[in-house]
Amino acid sequence: MNPKISAKAPIISGKQYHIQCQKGDVAPFVLIPGDPARVGKIASLWDSSKEVANHREYHTMTGKFAETPISCTSSGIGGPSLAIAVDELCRIGAHTFIRVGSTGGIQKGQEIGDLVISTGAVRLEGTSKDFVIPEYPAIAHYEVVMALIQAAEELKMRYHVGITASTDTFYTGQGRPAYNNYFPSHKDHIFRDMQSAGVQNFEMEAATLFTMASLFGKRAGAVCCVVANRVTDEFEINDEMQKRAGLVASRAVAILHEWDKKKTKHAASYLYPSLLSR
């Protein structure tokens, strides 16, 4: 007899309803791009990979990079679909998430193709508010931030570090006019306000990811490639640019894996600088 399927936590044939994965399908470390088509491109950077599932906007591949188990699951665009993926991935054993995406840079000195490593996110989206009060911060885990910085340094990638702003919409939410030049007055100052506050970039998923990871006791970070320079009004995107963020994120996973082994060896709950030299 088949076990009863619960409407509270729907599982079909042992698999999570949306991502179509079960325990053993994904590694503890999961990269999260938005576009399903980017999953295969990121996995091509690894030593080995195989497709696990491809359902709706959720495409998952699992493999190894530098002898480290690693997975990649697409989230679709925006917080709502990402929230489903991250929730279900946590249920089957994932504990570290790195968003890998494209972004719009809003600070002088940034160039097309640069990477932005997020330390936290302004919660301009609505999804995270379904989880916790607006005053709760969306913060990347410090270990993931450090690993991403080290990976970018090792790979000699240009990068910037700082706060990201996550929005629900690509156009008006980020200070662009929508169709037919529609632009609401309450968005008149969003671009300049974020720029003045030192925010590095606009994107659409980091705030939800960081909020959920903190609430669930997981680790999360984000590295995005600048494809839109809002200061110089440039836009360019290609596969090689996208792979930069994927490579840095994959290398960061391998770094985190080594750091985790050091913490286990020395019975340390937290990573700290002198631990790395022991």
Side-chain angles (χ1 to χ4, degrees), residues 101-122:
S102 55
T103 193
I106 66 174
Q107 293 295 336
K108 292 180 180 179
Q110 296 175 344
E111 296 179 5
I112 294 289
D114 285 359
L115 301 179
V116 176
I117 296 170
S118 303
T119 56
V122 185

Side-chain angles (χ1 to χ4, degrees), residues 19 26 29-36 38-39 42 46 57-60 70-78 81-87 89-90 94 96-102 203 205-206 209 219-224 245-246 249-250 253:
I19 62 173
V26 299
F29 302 91
V30 185
L31 307 187
I32 309 284
D35 185 355
R38 290 181 188 161
V39 174
I42 291 172
W46 303 343
E57 61 264 62
Y58 306 116
H59 183 201
T60 298
I70 188 170
S71 292
C72 185
T73 297
S74 55
S75 68
I77 296 175
S81 58
L82 177 137
I84 293 171
V86 170
D87 196 308
L89 286 164
C90 287
T96 300
F97 303 90
I98 302 180
R99 164 157 159 66
V100 181
S102 55
E203 54 81 75
E205 291 85 22
L209 175 61
R219 297 185 297 195
V223 56
C224 294
S250 298
V253 163

